[in-house]
Amino acid sequence: NDGVSMSSRAAWDALDNWALSNRVMEGKWHVAGKAIDPTQITQPCWLAIPKHDVVVPPASARALSKKLQHVTAHSLSAGHISM
């Protein structure tokens, strides 16, 4: 983390939509009024999947990687944001 503050709205969006409600995996997460469906992302994606993440469990990150079309996933011996 480079120390840049996250707005409270962005933090709540991430917590609620990603972690609590899992809207990303259900295709129900909206950005600028548009639903984001991971299966429709065509850009190459790189995922760092920390083995000891208690915020985003590795199984959740691996599930997302299976929905992406072009993904490179790496498992790291770290926690959330290298904690």
Side-chain angles (χ1 to χ4, degrees), residues 20-67:
L20 299 177
S21 302
N22 202 21
R23 288 186 180 101
V24 174
M25 292 298 288
E26 297 172 357
K28 295 179 181 177
W29 180 43
H30 289 79
V31 174
K34 181 179 177 183
I36 306 300
D37 180 354
T39 65
Q40 299 302 308
I41 296 173
T42 58
Q43 295 83 359
C45 299
W46 187 89
L47 296 181
I49 303 174
K51 294 177 183 177
H52 311 291
D53 194 334
V54 295
V55 178
V56 180
S60 295
R62 282 192 296 276
L64 175 61
S65 74
K66 292 176 184 173
K67 289 191 171 251

Side-chain angles (χ1 to χ4, degrees), residues 6-14:
M6 179 184 284
S7 72
S8 59
R9 182 171 170 90
W12 176 249
D13 182 63

